[in-house]
Amino acid sequence: MNYDRIAETLDKAAHLKELTQQISSYRPLNLDEAYAVQAISIGRRLIRGEQLVGLKLGFTSKAKMEQMSVHDMIWGRLTDQMTIAHQGNTKMDAYLHPRAEPEIAFRISKDIPETLNLSNIKEYVDGVAVAIEIIDSRYEHFKFSLEDVIADNCSSSGYCIGEWKSVGTPVEDVAISLSVNGAEVNAGRTSAILGNPWESMVAATRLAQEYGVELKAGYVILAGAATAAVYLESGQEISAQADGFGQVSFQMN
Ligand code: OOG
Ligand code: MG
């Protein structure tokens, strides 16, 4: 089975909301092949008119790696169609088996031409915010290998960003949590994200160079969840809060 066919299968599963079998159950992919499938699959969304608006990192915390039984960092692409307005709403029937997780988001201020490091990264970022990501694996039982989930654009499905704060706002090690209907369900610290969420932003610049992806002004980078994710149901109000960043929320209809 060629990459185009696999990409089509995954894109259709996402678009038509139909669960699909893990690719690894019938066609083993290596990491490079999995990223190639992801690129083709997202290309199909772009042809339908969606715009690339950023990247997300995944499995940047132990809690996430343990929950999903994987062992390495991954990255995926964000499109404008995945955006959920702060205090807005989204519909349960737009998803298969959605889960939410609390995240930190960065906003890129000018095109990034090279791999950056902790000492120069802030020159290219003009906003930091608390965010919620909705992940919605296209695979049955939300189960996958690392290559499967990469091919499936790292389960990317939706994201909601709170008020942008200045780059100087301390984000290295602050309390962050996720609540459902006002009751906290998961809590941790942002240092769970690679020891410091800025490390995720640095990793995004390295991965973008490695895979030939442009990081443009205005793009958003999701640093990866600080805690495990929780399944969502209709009728819930989901919120995330981080010290110094306030709260972000949306309603699942
Ligand atoms: C893969 C996406 C992981 C994160 O923040 O670690 C991720 C998944 O768990 O389905 O988004
Ligand atoms: Mg995530």
Side-chain angles (χ1 to χ4, degrees), residues 56-61 64-65 67-68 70 74 99 101-103 133-137 142 144 149 152-156 222-227 229:
K56 63 163 278 185
L57 274 78
F59 304 137
T60 49
S61 69
K64 280 291 299 182
M65 285 197 241
Q67 183 179 34
M68 306 315 292
V70 296
I74 57 177
R99 285 170 145 170
E101 50 192 24
E103 300 244 357
E133 182 179 20
I134 300 185
I135 48 173
D136 191 27
S137 177
F142 223 114
F144 41 68
V149 68
D152 184 28
N153 197 30
C154 306
S155 310
S156 308
L222 291 180
T227 74

Side-chain angles (χ1 to χ4, degrees), residues 93-152:
D93 62 12
Y95 306 91
L96 293 158
H97 42 195
R99 285 170 145 170
E101 50 192 24
E103 300 244 357
I104 292 294
F106 295 100
R107 187 178 60 196
I108 296 175
S109 57
K110 53 185 180 188
D111 296 1
I112 298 181
E114 59 188 355
T115 300
L116 301 175
N117 54 52
L118 282 182
S119 53
N120 58 10
I121 191 92
K122 288 183 186 169
E123 293 164 31
Y124 292 84
V125 174
D126 66 0
V128 186
V130 63
I132 304 167
E133 182 179 20
I134 300 185
I135 48 173
D136 191 27
S137 177
R138 270 54 72 163
Y139 297 120
E140 290 161 355
H141 315 299
F142 223 114
K143 284 252 158 53
F144 41 68
S145 68
L146 199 64
E147 292 79 10
D148 284 329
V149 68
I150 290 166
D152 184 28

Side-chain angles (χ1 to χ4, degrees), residues 42 45 50-53 56 76-85 90 95 132-134 138 153 155-160:
I42 299 306
R45 296 175 74 130
E50 293 180 35
Q51 306 278 327
L52 269 188
V53 295
K56 63 163 278 185
R77 294 162 162 94
L78 300 175
T79 75
D80 59 341
Q81 194 252 323
M82 300 174 190
T83 315
I84 301 165
T90 186
Y95 306 91
I132 304 167
E133 182 179 20
I134 300 185
R138 270 54 72 163
N153 197 30
S155 310
S156 308
S157 181
Y159 69 93
C160 183

